[in-house]
């Protein structure tokens, strides 16, 4: 007779080796309530595959599955098909690990709240931008959604629909959040002074992506150097020598 601790050690060993080596426990190994709860508390956080080793009774249980993805968002991959469409569980998985969206279906990736949470998670991370590509077409073409997301990050701008990328309000919101986003907006709005001024106020170095007309514009130049002093290097020679700008 094996103790719970012995069974848990056996499960972890099996998972590492990729073998089901202990025939004596094969009948109830992954359906024992005590074992499941102990694994939830200790092991699933480190290895989501262990959740997938549990019986369907646990992977079909909403409460248990919610706790699992709160421990490790990647456990979402091993949920039952029914629970993979559960929005509450999906949001919990995202909050734990944005990469869990890889296992979301198209309905979830077109959900407004799921999309908002995904962008919030990606806003302060250097990697994972490809996850924006997974957002549903409906969301990437939704102006209300885009305006909310641009408050968190301008990184989403290149993934928006062409119609939105050519929208004044969207372009203005993008450069207001991150001035460098002006590098990605269409030429139509790179010639717009209000867009360029907003970009310069947000990030002075954004002037390097502007045409010479605005590199030589006094208002834009002043906004740029007040935001980032070193941006003076990108201005026209005339403004570089302007004592008000230089000071």
């Amino acid at each position: 007779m094996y103790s719970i601790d012995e069974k848990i050690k056996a499960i972890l060993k099996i998972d590492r080796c990729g073998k089901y080596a202990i025939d004596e426990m094969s009948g109830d190994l992954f359906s024992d309530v005590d074992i499941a709860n102990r694994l939830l508390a200790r092991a699933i956080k480190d290895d989501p595959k262990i959740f997938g080793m549990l019986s369907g009774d646990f992977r079909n249980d909403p409460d248990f599955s919610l706790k699992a993805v709160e421990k490790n968002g990647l456990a979402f991959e091993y949920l039952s098909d029914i629970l993979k469409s559960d929005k509450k569980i999906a949001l919990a998985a995202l909050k734990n690990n944005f990469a869990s969206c890889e296992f979301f279906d198209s309905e979830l990736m077109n959900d407004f709240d799921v999309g908002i949470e995904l962008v919030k998670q990606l806003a302060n991370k250097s990697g994972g931008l490809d996850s924006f590509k997974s957002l549903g077409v409906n969301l990437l073409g939704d102006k209300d959604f885009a305006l909310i997301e641009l408050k968190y990050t301008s990184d989403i701008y290149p993934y928006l629909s062409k119609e939105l990328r050519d929208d004044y309000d969207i372009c203005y919101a993008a450069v207001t959040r991150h001035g460098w986003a002006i590098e990605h907006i269409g030429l139509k709005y790179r010639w717009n002074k209000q867009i360029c001024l907003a970009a310069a106020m947000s990030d002075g170095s954004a002037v390097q992506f502007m045409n010479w007309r605005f590199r030589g514009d006094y208002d834009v130049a002043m906004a740029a150097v007040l935001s980032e002093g070193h941006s003076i290097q990108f201005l026209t020679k005339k403004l570089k020598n302007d004592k008000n700008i230089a000071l």
Side-chain angles (χ1 to χ4, degrees):
M1 186 67 179
Y2 294 95
S3 68
I4 290 178
D5 283 336
E6 288 173 327
K7 290 182 178 181
I8 289 174
K9 289 178 181 178
I11 291 173
L12 298 179
K13 182 178 180 181
I14 290 170
D15 185 55
R16 285 195 299 271
C17 298
K19 299 177 181 178
Y20 293 88
I22 306 178
D23 295 333
E24 297 94 327
M25 289 188 280
S26 60
D28 65 352
L29 183 58
F30 306 118
S31 59
D32 186 290
V33 175
D34 290 329
I35 289 178
N37 286 322
R38 293 282 289 277
L39 287 173
L40 180 61
R42 292 169 50 185
I44 292 175
K45 182 178 180 180
D46 297 324
D47 189 348
K49 293 193 298 295
I50 291 174
F51 179 68
M53 296 169 68
L54 298 176
S55 73
D57 289 339
F58 296 107
R59 291 183 290 108
N60 280 314
D61 185 291
D63 294 331
F64 191 89
S65 295
L66 178 61
K67 291 177 182 177
V69 299
E70 287 175 339
K71 292 284 185 182
N72 190 328
L74 297 180
F76 190 91
E77 178 183 3
Y78 302 100
L79 293 178
S80 66
D81 291 338
I82 295 175
L83 293 183
K84 279 187 175 178
S85 61
D86 188 298
K87 179 176 171 178
K88 181 179 180 180
I89 294 177
L91 286 171
L94 265 184
K95 289 177 181 178
N96 178 272
N97 191 325
F98 72 84
S100 60
C101 71
E102 178 184 347
F103 310 110
F104 291 4
D105 61 24
S106 60
E107 184 175 350
L108 283 174
M109 293 306 288
N110 270 300
D111 182 90
F112 196 94
D113 296 325
V114 170
I116 294 288
E117 185 60 38
L118 176 58
V119 176
K120 284 169 63 177
Q121 293 299 318
L122 292 175
N124 297 314
K125 294 179 172 64
S126 57
L129 296 185
D130 282 346
S131 295
F132 286 138
K133 296 179 182 178
S134 302
L135 285 170
V137 174
N138 293 341
L139 284 184
L140 294 175
D142 186 313
K143 184 172 180 177
D144 290 335
F145 173 80
L147 287 172
I148 292 174
E149 298 299 37
L150 287 169
K151 292 179 181 179
Y152 295 104
T153 178
S154 294
D155 287 331
I156 194 174
Y157 176 84
Y159 301 93
L160 298 175
S161 68
K162 185 179 185 304
E163 181 181 358
L164 288 185
R165 284 185 277 116
D166 288 336
D167 182 275
Y168 176 86
D169 295 331
I170 295 296
C171 291
Y172 188 85
V175 300
T176 299
R177 183 67 182 88
H178 292 121
W180 49 257
I182 198 169
E183 178 184 9
H184 302 290
I185 69 173
L187 293 176
K188 174 182 178 181
Y189 289 122
R190 289 196 202 184
W191 285 91
N192 183 285
K193 182 170 179 176
Q194 293 307 311
I195 294 285
C196 290
L197 191 58
M201 292 172 67
S202 173
D203 182 351
S205 62
V207 295
Q208 67 184 293
F209 304 116
M210 298 178 193
N211 57 57
W212 284 102
R213 172 184 171 184
F214 292 113
R215 292 192 194 190
D217 182 277
Y218 184 87
D219 296 329
V220 173
M222 181 61 77
V225 296
L226 288 175
S227 174
E228 295 284 349
H230 66 80
S231 63
I232 194 172
Q233 64 184 300
F234 304 116
L235 303 180
T236 59
K237 183 177 181 180
K238 178 181 178 180
L239 287 182
K240 284 181 182 179
N241 294 323
D242 185 293
K243 65 179 181 179
N244 293 322
I245 297 291
L247 291 175

